[in-house]
Structures are given as C-alpha cells and as structure tokens.
Amino acid sequence: MQKRRDRVTPVLFAFTILLALTVAGIIHLAHGGEVVGPFAAADQVSSTTERTNTPYVCWDGNGSGSLTRCPDPRGEDGLSWVFPGHEYAARRGECTRREAGGRDLFVECSMSWSGDQVHLHYAHWGEWQAGRKKYDATGSTPGIEQRTDGAMSLSWRPRRLPTPHGEATWITAEMVEGHGWSVSAYAGDAEVARAALEEFGEIRDLREWRGLPR
C-alpha cells in the first residue's frame, strides 16, 4: 500500500500543476490576453530588456547594437524620418499619398504659405538616378554641393513649367546623391518655391540616416 501511495503522489502533484496553469491561462484569456506557456513571461522580459538596453535606436523605433544593423528608411514612417520638415508641413496643410507612378512612394502636401499656395512633393525612388532624370528633365542643371555629412546635395533651381497645380508653375527640387529620397516644391513665385523647399525640405544628416544613439 505504501508503494502505491508513493506512485500516486507525483501523479497528483503533476496534475495539480497542470490544472493551475490551465486556470491561469483561462483567467488571462478572459482579460483579453493570450494563453501562453509557463516560460513565455520570462522570455518576454528578456526580449524587452534586450531592446531597451541596446545603444542605438533605429529610425523605426527598434533597438540595435549597431546602426549598420538598422534598415534603410522606407515607407511613410521612413519619409517622416528622412524629412524632418514633413511633420511641420503636415501641420500647416494637408498631406495625401498619391499614385506613385515611377516612384515607390509619393506624398503631396498642399498649404497656403507666405501668401501663396504651395505644394510639396515627397518621394522615394527605387533607383535614385530615376529621380535625378525626372528633375533634369525640367531643363535645369542641378547645383552640386558637399554637405556637412560628406554627401553630395543635388538641387535644381526654380524653373517655370506647366504643372498640375494651376498657377503654381514654379518648381524647385533637391535630393542627396546615391539615395532615393527627393523633395520638390511648387508655387506661383520662384522665390516662394525656393523658400518653401528650404523650410520644409530638409534632408536628414546621413550620420543619422538609420537611427540615433540612445
């Protein structure tokens, strides 16, 4: 009889543990959670600690041990990262994602600024040379200037051309050599277009291109 009790006791103990885990899972699910294994909580804590203890934060908010491990900016979140003035433009006017055409991404922001109607086009090109050809086609040779981050900045001076924006017939644009992000400004006056591009078209320093130290 004693041997039988010795065999039954571990079985009852295991059954009790299994029952407790099942009840805990049901309670967790009832509160909107997911039923998880007994070691999942420890895994989550470890993962969270790893993310918060990394020395860098990528542009997408993820932690990393090195900026080279962060991805290149992509999508609308990447657009807001690459162009710090985009958020300001969005507060001043209305920004809408448009048909991309030859671009991977195309967002247009329209606003009233400096007494003129201004349109800003933020875009990403899969091949940066395609963006350059687009603006070279306006008939303006780009000015090339070295930035403080070592990259070469390409800027197209205002040119008057037929545009889809009515009286906003002056267009100016800029991008960074080797990168597919571009921004252009349309306005009814050349100086307004140039000033709008300077105000809302800053391209982030390449040393911060993929993220920042914590």
Side-chain angles (χ1 to χ4, degrees):
M1 180 64 71
Q2 179 64 37
K3 291 182 179 180
R4 183 179 179 182
R5 284 199 298 269
D6 291 342
R7 289 195 301 270
V8 171
T9 299
V11 173
L12 288 175
F13 179 77
F15 178 78
T16 301
I17 294 297
L18 180 61
L19 180 61
L21 291 173
T22 302
V23 172
I26 293 172
I27 294 173
H28 182 61
L29 183 62
H31 284 81
E34 298 179 359
V35 178
V36 295
F39 303 107
D43 291 342
Q44 290 169 0
V45 171
S46 174
S47 176
T48 301
T49 301
E50 182 179 350
R51 287 197 301 271
T52 58
N53 286 347
T54 51
Y56 298 96
V57 181
C58 300
W59 65 270
D60 58 5
N62 290 322
S64 177
S66 169
L67 288 179
T68 59
R69 296 181 181 178
C70 296
D72 282 329
R74 288 290 185 271
E76 291 189 50
D77 289 341
L79 182 151
S80 296
W81 176 263
V82 171
F83 300 105
H86 172 260
E87 184 179 353
Y88 179 34
R91 290 199 304 266
R92 291 292 303 264
E94 180 179 350
C95 296
T96 307
R97 186 165 181 168
R98 302 292 190 188
E99 289 295 325
R103 296 151 289 202
D104 297 335
L105 176 70
F106 173 33
V107 174
E108 178 183 289
C109 297
S110 301
M111 71 189 79
S112 177
W113 187 74
S114 293
D116 209 331
Q117 188 67 19
V118 171
H119 306 272
L120 293 144
H121 290 182
Y122 298 95
H124 182 265
W125 308 77
E127 295 291 335
W128 82 272
Q129 288 284 11
R132 174 169 184 165
K133 290 178 181 178
K134 153 82 173 177
Y135 298 117
D136 282 348
T138 64
S140 172
T141 301
I144 302 176
E145 182 179 350
Q146 186 167 13
R147 293 159 43 107
T148 57
D149 57 16
M152 304 307 292
S153 175
L154 280 65
S155 58
W156 288 263
R157 67 182 185 276
R159 292 295 297 263
R160 193 168 192 176
L161 297 167
T163 76
H165 300 300
E167 295 181 358
T169 56
W170 289 90
I171 173 177
T172 181
E174 68 176 341
M175 63 189 311
V176 175
E177 188 175 38
H179 294 271
W181 292 99
S182 70
V183 56
S184 56
Y186 296 74
D189 178 85
E191 181 57 27
V192 172
R194 186 204 61 75
L197 187 68
E198 182 177 340
E199 182 78 9
F200 304 105
E202 175 192 356
I203 299 176
R204 184 177 290 274
D205 192 304
L206 291 189
R207 290 166 293 193
E208 302 176 349
W209 196 252
R210 294 184 174 188
L212 294 168
R214 289 192 183 276

